[in-house]
Amino acid sequence: MAHYFEEPSHTFNEYLLVPGYSSAQCIPDNVNLKTPLVKFQRGEEPAITMNIPMTSAIMQSVSGEKMAIALATEGGISFIYGSQSIEDEAAMIARVKAYKAGFVPSDSNVSPEATLQDILDLKEETGHSTVAVTSDGTANGQFVGIVTSRDYRISRMDPSTPVHEFMTPKDIVISAPEGTTLKEANNIIWAHKLNTLPIINKDGSLAYFVFRKDYSVHKSNPLELLDSQKRYTVGAGINTRDYATRIPALLKAGADVLCIDSSEGYSEWQKLTIDWIRKNYGDQVKVGAGNVVDRDGFRFLAEAGADFIKIGIGGGSICITREQKGIGRGQASAVIEVAKARDEYYRETGVYIPICSDGGIVYDHHVTLALAMGADFVMLGRYFSRFDESPTRIVRINGNYMKEYWGEGSSRARNWQRYDMGGAKKLSFEEGVDSYVPYAGSLHDNVGATLSKVRSTMCNCGALSISEFQKKAKLTLVSATSITEGGAHDVMLKDNAVQTVK
C-alpha cells in the first residue's frame, strides 16, 4: 500500500517563532547574514559564500542581467534564466561580468542631427536629464558632446532646433580616458564639481558614464558580492537536455555557479547531468540541483554530487503543479524534513550541502521562518518580479501600476525542458500561469526593508548569525484562530478618505 505521512503538510503561515533570550549584543547592526551557497567539507570554507540569504528565481520574468547586477550589489545572486538560446544566456552572463560598478553604459543617446523635441521625448521616456551625443546616436558611437537640462530652455527655443546647435561639445566636456579607475573618476568629478564624467575609448567612442550620485550608492553597498577579479558574481540556469553544449558556453561567459532548473529533481536526468559535469570539470564547476520535498529526494541529489539542493514543488505563486498533477508538499514541511536530512548527511560524511527554500514565500517573515527551519537561503520569484530591475513591463491596470509575471510552466514561457520527462519536446499541459503583480519600486529599497525584518526577528530569538538562529529558534504551529489574532482585529481601520466632523 502507499506510504502515508503521519502529519498534515504545513505552510510557513502555520508557524510562528517564539522569542528567546536576547543579550545586549543582539541588535540588528550586529547580525551577520552570510551563508554558504555551495557544499564544503567540515573545517573548510565554501568556495562561494553569499552576504545575504537571497537568490532570484531562474525565470524569464525575473532574472535578467539588470536583476543580476542589482542583487549582487546587495550581496545575493541571480540565476540567469536558461529558457532562452545558449547564445542569449551566455551574452547576458558576459554583460554582467563585464559590468563595472559605477561605470554606466549610456542608455540615452542622440545624434547631432536630432532635435530639442527628441531630447524632450527621450527625457519623458527614460527620466534621464543627461543625454550623450554620438555620431550615430548609439551608446558606443563616436563621442560628439553632451546635453543636460542646463543646455536648453524650452520657453525660449524652437523644438525643432538641432542638437548640435545647443549641446556642450566634446572639446569643452571634461572627460576621462579608458582605463580610468572608479576612484580616479570620482576624484575628477569632485575636483571639477561635475555631475557626469564621460569615459572615452582610445578610438574616440563613448564607453561609459560615471555619475556623482553613484558615488554614495557605491559606498552604501559594502555587501557587494564579487569574484576574485572584483566582478559581480552571477549564476546560470541549465536544463537536463542541452547541457553538453550550454554549460561550456556559460562557463566561458563567466558564470560562477550553475543550477539545474527543473520542477522535480528526484530523477535520473539530474544525475546524468551532474555526472557529465563531474566527468568534464571535476569539482571546479559548482552546480545546484532540485527540486525535492523529502529526505529521499535530498539523499539522491546529495549522493549524485549536487553542490546545493533546492526545496519546493507547487508552492510558487504562479505554479499550478499541485492543481494539475496532485503532486507537491507544503513548503514548511518540506524544508523541515530536508533540513533534518541535510544535518544527518553532514554528521555521516562531514560534507555540508546548503539547502534552498524555493517557493511558498508570501510575506517577508516567511523568509525568516524558512531560515529558522533550516534553509541556508531562499529563492524568490514573485518577490523580485515586482521591482524595476526585473525584465518585464510596467503596466497600468484599473489605476494601479503592475508588472507582468509568468511561470516557467506557462505557455508564454514555453520552457518544456523544465518539465522534461524524456518525451516530446513540448509542454503537454500548463503548470504555470500568466499574471500581474503590484509594482514595488527598486530592489535596493525593498531588499533592505525585508532584511531589516529578518535581522530584527533574529535578535528577538537571541541570534546574530543564521547558523546560530537555526540552533536557537523555537517554532510553534498555530491554529486558524491564532492566525486571525496575529493581524489587526476587533478595530475599525482608519480610512484616509474619512473626514473628521467637528
Side-chain angles (χ1 to χ4, degrees), residues 398-427:
N398 298 327
N400 298 313
Y401 287 102
M402 313 287 284
K403 290 210 79 175
E404 297 173 307
Y405 180 45
W406 60 90
E408 290 298 298
S410 66
S411 290
R412 181 171 183 175
R414 298 182 182 277
N415 186 8
W416 65 269
Q417 295 98 330
R418 188 174 199 272
Y419 301 85
D420 180 27
M421 297 184 73
K425 297 182 178 181
K426 64 179 182 178
L427 282 173

mmCIF file of all heavy atoms in Angstrom, residues 398-427:
data_model
loop_
_atom_site.group_PDB
_atom_site.id
_atom_site.type_symbol
_atom_site.label_atom_id
_atom_site.label_comp_id
_atom_site.label_asym_id
_atom_site.label_seq_id
_atom_site.Cartn_x
_atom_site.Cartn_y
_atom_site.Cartn_z
ATOM 1 N N ASN A 398 -6.547 49.216 -13.964
ATOM 2 C CA ASN A 398 -7.522 49.794 -13.029
ATOM 3 C C ASN A 398 -6.901 50.871 -12.137
ATOM 4 O O ASN A 398 -7.184 50.954 -10.937
ATOM 5 C CB ASN A 398 -8.153 48.694 -12.162
ATOM 6 C CG ASN A 398 -8.924 47.685 -12.976
ATOM 7 O OD1 ASN A 398 -9.524 48.026 -13.999
ATOM 8 N ND2 ASN A 398 -8.919 46.427 -12.539
ATOM 9 N N GLY A 399 -6.008 51.665 -12.740
ATOM 10 C CA GLY A 399 -5.404 52.774 -11.996
ATOM 11 C C GLY A 399 -4.202 52.383 -11.164
ATOM 12 O O GLY A 399 -3.580 53.247 -10.551
ATOM 13 N N ASN A 400 -3.853 51.108 -11.139
ATOM 14 C CA ASN A 400 -2.704 50.642 -10.347
ATOM 15 C C ASN A 400 -1.566 50.197 -11.262
ATOM 16 O O ASN A 400 -1.803 49.576 -12.302
ATOM 17 C CB ASN A 400 -3.115 49.467 -9.456
ATOM 18 C CG ASN A 400 -4.176 49.845 -8.453
ATOM 19 O OD1 ASN A 400 -4.062 50.861 -7.787
ATOM 20 N ND2 ASN A 400 -5.217 49.026 -8.346
ATOM 21 N N TYR A 401 -0.337 50.496 -10.851
ATOM 22 C CA TYR A 401 0.818 50.074 -11.625
ATOM 23 C C TYR A 401 1.187 48.650 -11.255
ATOM 24 O O TYR A 401 1.315 48.303 -10.077
ATOM 25 C CB TYR A 401 2.005 51.010 -11.380
ATOM 26 C CG TYR A 401 1.831 52.356 -12.030
ATOM 27 C CD1 TYR A 401 1.464 53.474 -11.287
ATOM 28 C CD2 TYR A 401 2.019 52.512 -13.406
ATOM 29 C CE1 TYR A 401 1.285 54.711 -11.889
ATOM 30 C CE2 TYR A 401 1.847 53.743 -14.013
ATOM 31 C CZ TYR A 401 1.476 54.834 -13.256
ATOM 32 O OH TYR A 401 1.298 56.045 -13.865
ATOM 33 N N MET A 402 1.336 47.819 -12.271
ATOM 34 C CA MET A 402 1.625 46.403 -12.083
ATOM 35 C C MET A 402 2.803 46.011 -12.974
ATOM 36 O O MET A 402 3.166 46.728 -13.911
ATOM 37 C CB MET A 402 0.406 45.547 -12.461
ATOM 38 C CG MET A 402 -0.919 46.007 -11.889
ATOM 39 S SD MET A 402 -1.072 45.695 -10.117
ATOM 40 C CE MET A 402 -1.394 43.927 -10.125
ATOM 41 N N LYS A 403 3.391 44.852 -12.685
ATOM 42 C CA LYS A 403 4.410 44.278 -13.562
ATOM 43 C C LYS A 403 3.954 42.891 -14.002
ATOM 44 O O LYS A 403 3.301 42.161 -13.251
ATOM 45 C CB LYS A 403 5.767 44.179 -12.853
ATOM 46 C CG LYS A 403 6.417 45.529 -12.603
ATOM 47 C CD LYS A 403 7.944 45.438 -12.606
ATOM 48 C CE LYS A 403 8.502 45.376 -14.004
ATOM 49 N NZ LYS A 403 9.966 45.394 -14.060
ATOM 50 N N GLU A 404 4.321 42.541 -15.223
ATOM 51 C CA GLU A 404 3.968 41.225 -15.738
ATOM 52 C C GLU A 404 4.793 40.150 -15.013
ATOM 53 O O GLU A 404 5.951 40.364 -14.674
ATOM 54 C CB GLU A 404 4.254 41.151 -17.237
ATOM 55 C CG GLU A 404 3.431 42.122 -18.063
ATOM 56 C CD GLU A 404 3.872 42.117 -19.509
ATOM 57 O OE1 GLU A 404 5.079 42.297 -19.765
ATOM 58 O OE2 GLU A 404 3.006 41.932 -20.382
ATOM 59 N N TYR A 405 4.175 39.003 -14.827
ATOM 60 C CA TYR A 405 4.864 37.885 -14.156
ATOM 61 C C TYR A 405 4.251 36.582 -14.631
ATOM 62 O O TYR A 405 3.041 36.383 -14.547
ATOM 63 C CB TYR A 405 4.704 38.030 -12.638
ATOM 64 C CG TYR A 405 5.362 36.944 -11.812
ATOM 65 C CD1 TYR A 405 6.659 36.505 -12.081
ATOM 66 C CD2 TYR A 405 4.689 36.369 -10.731
ATOM 67 C CE1 TYR A 405 7.266 35.527 -11.313
ATOM 68 C CE2 TYR A 405 5.281 35.393 -9.943
ATOM 69 C CZ TYR A 405 6.572 34.975 -10.242
ATOM 70 O OH TYR A 405 7.167 34.010 -9.488
ATOM 71 N N TRP A 406 5.076 35.711 -15.197
ATOM 72 C CA TRP A 406 4.551 34.439 -15.676
ATOM 73 C C TRP A 406 5.459 33.293 -15.240
ATOM 74 O O TRP A 406 6.653 33.453 -15.047
ATOM 75 C CB TRP A 406 4.379 34.451 -17.193
ATOM 76 C CG TRP A 406 5.623 34.688 -17.996
ATOM 77 C CD1 TRP A 406 6.496 33.758 -18.479
ATOM 78 C CD2 TRP A 406 6.140 35.959 -18.421
ATOM 79 N NE1 TRP A 406 7.511 34.360 -19.179
ATOM 80 C CE2 TRP A 406 7.325 35.719 -19.161
ATOM 81 C CE3 TRP A 406 5.716 37.293 -18.246
ATOM 82 C CZ2 TRP A 406 8.080 36.742 -19.710
ATOM 83 C CZ3 TRP A 406 6.474 38.310 -18.804
ATOM 84 C CH2 TRP A 406 7.633 38.021 -19.530
ATOM 85 N N GLY A 407 4.856 32.123 -15.111
ATOM 86 C CA GLY A 407 5.600 30.947 -14.664
ATOM 87 C C GLY A 407 6.336 30.271 -15.798
ATOM 88 O O GLY A 407 5.961 30.392 -16.968
ATOM 89 N N GLU A 408 7.399 29.555 -15.462
ATOM 90 C CA GLU A 408 8.150 28.805 -16.469
ATOM 91 C C GLU A 408 7.342 27.631 -17.016
ATOM 92 O O GLU A 408 7.683 27.073 -18.051
ATOM 93 C CB GLU A 408 9.475 28.316 -15.878
ATOM 94 C CG GLU A 408 10.481 29.416 -15.614
ATOM 95 C CD GLU A 408 10.907 30.142 -16.880
ATOM 96 O OE1 GLU A 408 11.480 29.492 -17.770
ATOM 97 O OE2 GLU A 408 10.640 31.350 -16.985
ATOM 98 N N GLY A 409 6.281 27.257 -16.315
ATOM 99 C CA GLY A 409 5.420 26.186 -16.809
ATOM 100 C C GLY A 409 4.237 26.695 -17.603
ATOM 101 O O GLY A 409 3.353 25.927 -17.965
ATOM 102 N N SER A 410 4.198 28.012 -17.872
ATOM 103 C CA SER A 410 3.100 28.584 -18.657
ATOM 104 C C SER A 410 3.399 28.471 -20.145
ATOM 105 O O SER A 410 4.547 28.287 -20.561
ATOM 106 C CB SER A 410 2.904 30.054 -18.288
ATOM 107 O OG SER A 410 4.031 30.818 -18.685
ATOM 108 N N SER A 411 2.353 28.615 -20.949
ATOM 109 C CA SER A 411 2.541 28.573 -22.401
ATOM 110 C C SER A 411 3.424 29.720 -22.870
ATOM 111 O O SER A 411 4.169 29.593 -23.838
ATOM 112 C CB SER A 411 1.185 28.641 -23.104
ATOM 113 O OG SER A 411 0.461 27.447 -22.893
ATOM 114 N N ARG A 412 3.351 30.848 -22.181
ATOM 115 C CA ARG A 412 4.144 32.007 -22.572
ATOM 116 C C ARG A 412 5.633 31.710 -22.472
ATOM 117 O O ARG A 412 6.431 32.118 -23.305
ATOM 118 C CB ARG A 412 3.775 33.210 -21.714
ATOM 119 C CG ARG A 412 4.527 34.478 -22.070
ATOM 120 C CD ARG A 412 3.954 35.664 -21.320
ATOM 121 N NE ARG A 412 4.612 36.906 -21.686
ATOM 122 C CZ ARG A 412 4.239 38.106 -21.259
ATOM 123 N NH1 ARG A 412 3.190 38.214 -20.448
ATOM 124 N NH2 ARG A 412 4.876 39.186 -21.621
ATOM 125 N N ALA A 413 6.042 30.997 -21.424
ATOM 126 C CA ALA A 413 7.469 30.704 -21.228
ATOM 127 C C ALA A 413 7.978 29.650 -22.209
ATOM 128 O O ALA A 413 9.148 29.666 -22.606
ATOM 129 C CB ALA A 413 7.721 30.234 -19.799
ATOM 130 N N ARG A 414 7.115 28.712 -22.579
ATOM 131 C CA ARG A 414 7.485 27.628 -23.499
ATOM 132 C C ARG A 414 8.733 26.861 -23.019
ATOM 133 O O ARG A 414 9.550 26.420 -23.804
ATOM 134 C CB ARG A 414 7.729 28.170 -24.914
ATOM 135 C CG ARG A 414 6.513 28.821 -25.532
ATOM 136 C CD ARG A 414 6.780 29.302 -26.943
ATOM 137 N NE ARG A 414 5.612 29.954 -27.500
ATOM 138 C CZ ARG A 414 4.580 29.335 -28.073
ATOM 139 N NH1 ARG A 414 4.590 28.020 -28.150
ATOM 140 N NH2 ARG A 414 3.561 30.001 -28.556
ATOM 141 N N ASN A 415 8.859 26.734 -21.717
ATOM 142 C CA ASN A 415 10.041 26.088 -21.157
ATOM 143 C C ASN A 415 9.763 24.605 -20.922
ATOM 144 O O ASN A 415 9.682 24.136 -19.789
ATOM 145 C CB ASN A 415 10.450 26.776 -19.850
ATOM 146 C CG ASN A 415 11.753 26.252 -19.290
ATOM 147 O OD1 ASN A 415 12.452 25.470 -19.921
ATOM 148 N ND2 ASN A 415 12.086 26.673 -18.092
ATOM 149 N N TRP A 416 9.603 23.850 -21.998
ATOM 150 C CA TRP A 416 9.293 22.431 -21.860
ATOM 151 C C TRP A 416 10.417 21.661 -21.182
ATOM 152 O O TRP A 416 10.177 20.642 -20.522
ATOM 153 C CB TRP A 416 8.996 21.810 -23.236
ATOM 154 C CG TRP A 416 10.166 21.798 -24.172
ATOM 155 C CD1 TRP A 416 10.507 22.763 -25.071
ATOM 156 C CD2 TRP A 416 11.163 20.782 -24.287
ATOM 157 N NE1 TRP A 416 11.656 22.415 -25.734
ATOM 158 C CE2 TRP A 416 12.084 21.203 -25.284
ATOM 159 C CE3 TRP A 416 11.385 19.560 -23.660
ATOM 160 C CZ2 TRP A 416 13.187 20.442 -25.656
ATOM 161 C CZ3 TRP A 416 12.479 18.803 -24.038
ATOM 162 C CH2 TRP A 416 13.369 19.237 -25.017
ATOM 163 N N GLN A 417 11.677 22.159 -21.307
ATOM 164 C CA GLN A 417 12.801 21.425 -20.716
ATOM 165 C C GLN A 417 12.679 21.314 -19.195
ATOM 166 O O GLN A 417 13.144 20.368 -18.585
ATOM 167 C CB GLN A 417 14.129 22.104 -21.064
ATOM 168 C CG GLN A 417 14.471 22.105 -22.542
ATOM 169 C CD GLN A 417 14.087 23.417 -23.191
ATOM 170 O OE1 GLN A 417 13.141 24.083 -22.768
ATOM 171 N NE2 GLN A 417 14.821 23.808 -24.212
ATOM 172 N N ARG A 418 12.050 22.321 -18.563
ATOM 173 C CA ARG A 418 11.937 22.315 -17.111
ATOM 174 C C ARG A 418 11.041 21.170 -16.626
ATOM 175 O O ARG A 418 11.172 20.690 -15.504
ATOM 176 C CB ARG A 418 11.383 23.660 -16.632
ATOM 177 C CG ARG A 418 11.410 23.826 -15.127
ATOM 178 C CD ARG A 418 10.979 25.228 -14.718
ATOM 179 N NE ARG A 418 11.414 25.528 -13.365
ATOM 180 C CZ ARG A 418 10.706 25.239 -12.282
ATOM 181 N NH1 ARG A 418 9.546 24.641 -12.396
ATOM 182 N NH2 ARG A 418 11.173 25.550 -11.082
ATOM 183 N N TYR A 419 10.132 20.758 -17.476
ATOM 184 C CA TYR A 419 9.184 19.710 -17.103
ATOM 185 C C TYR A 419 9.441 18.424 -17.897
ATOM 186 O O TYR A 419 8.581 17.574 -18.038
ATOM 187 C CB TYR A 419 7.747 20.213 -17.335
ATOM 188 C CG TYR A 419 7.479 21.441 -16.515
ATOM 189 C CD1 TYR A 419 7.826 22.708 -16.983
ATOM 190 C CD2 TYR A 419 6.949 21.353 -15.228
ATOM 191 C CE1 TYR A 419 7.629 23.838 -16.211
ATOM 192 C CE2 TYR A 419 6.754 22.474 -14.449
ATOM 193 C CZ TYR A 419 7.092 23.712 -14.947
ATOM 194 O OH TYR A 419 6.913 24.825 -14.170
ATOM 195 N N ASP A 420 10.665 18.322 -18.403
ATOM 196 C CA ASP A 420 11.040 17.220 -19.284
ATOM 197 C C ASP A 420 11.054 15.878 -18.551
ATOM 198 O O ASP A 420 11.682 15.737 -17.511
ATOM 199 C CB ASP A 420 12.426 17.519 -19.875
ATOM 200 C CG ASP A 420 12.901 16.414 -20.807
ATOM 201 O OD1 ASP A 420 12.034 15.735 -21.378
ATOM 202 O OD2 ASP A 420 14.121 16.262 -20.958
ATOM 203 N N MET A 421 10.365 14.910 -19.133
ATOM 204 C CA MET A 421 10.400 13.545 -18.605
ATOM 205 C C MET A 421 10.747 12.567 -19.716
ATOM 206 O O MET A 421 10.303 11.414 -19.733
ATOM 207 C CB MET A 421 9.057 13.183 -17.955
ATOM 208 C CG MET A 421 8.724 14.056 -16.748
ATOM 209 S SD MET A 421 7.217 13.563 -15.898
ATOM 210 C CE MET A 421 7.781 12.060 -15.106
ATOM 211 N N GLY A 422 11.546 13.085 -20.678
ATOM 212 C CA GLY A 422 12.018 12.203 -21.727
ATOM 213 C C GLY A 422 11.075 12.026 -22.899
ATOM 214 O O GLY A 422 11.331 11.202 -23.768
ATOM 215 N N GLY A 423 10.023 12.822 -22.947
ATOM 216 C CA GLY A 423 9.053 12.672 -24.020
ATOM 217 C C GLY A 423 9.248 13.669 -25.141
ATOM 218 O O GLY A 423 10.369 14.106 -25.432
ATOM 219 N N ALA A 424 8.128 14.073 -25.748
ATOM 220 C CA ALA A 424 8.169 15.012 -26.863
ATOM 221 C C ALA A 424 8.659 16.375 -26.393
ATOM 222 O O ALA A 424 8.499 16.744 -25.240
ATOM 223 C CB ALA A 424 6.775 15.142 -27.481
ATOM 224 N N LYS A 425 9.233 17.115 -27.331
ATOM 225 C CA LYS A 425 9.788 18.417 -26.991
ATOM 226 C C LYS A 425 8.707 19.493 -27.007
ATOM 227 O O LYS A 425 8.686 20.379 -27.852
ATOM 228 C CB LYS A 425 10.922 18.773 -27.963
ATOM 229 C CG LYS A 425 12.100 17.810 -27.888
ATOM 230 C CD LYS A 425 13.202 18.239 -28.829
ATOM 231 C CE LYS A 425 14.403 17.313 -28.736
ATOM 232 N NZ LYS A 425 15.501 17.718 -29.628
ATOM 233 N N LYS A 426 7.797 19.407 -26.057
ATOM 234 C CA LYS A 426 6.728 20.393 -25.957
ATOM 235 C C LYS A 426 6.083 20.272 -24.580
ATOM 236 O O LYS A 426 6.286 19.289 -23.856
ATOM 237 C CB LYS A 426 5.675 20.169 -27.040
ATOM 238 C CG LYS A 426 4.948 18.833 -26.915
ATOM 239 C CD LYS A 426 3.893 18.678 -27.994
ATOM 240 C CE LYS A 426 3.143 17.355 -27.815
ATOM 241 N NZ LYS A 426 2.082 17.203 -28.828
ATOM 242 N N LEU A 427 5.295 21.290 -24.198
ATOM 243 C CA LEU A 427 4.517 21.222 -22.973
ATOM 244 C C LEU A 427 3.217 20.485 -23.254
ATOM 245 O O LEU A 427 2.435 20.899 -24.117
ATOM 246 C CB LEU A 427 4.195 22.636 -22.459
ATOM 247 C CG LEU A 427 5.301 23.399 -21.726
ATOM 248 C CD1 LEU A 427 4.839 24.825 -21.447
ATOM 249 C CD2 LEU A 427 5.665 22.712 -20.422
#
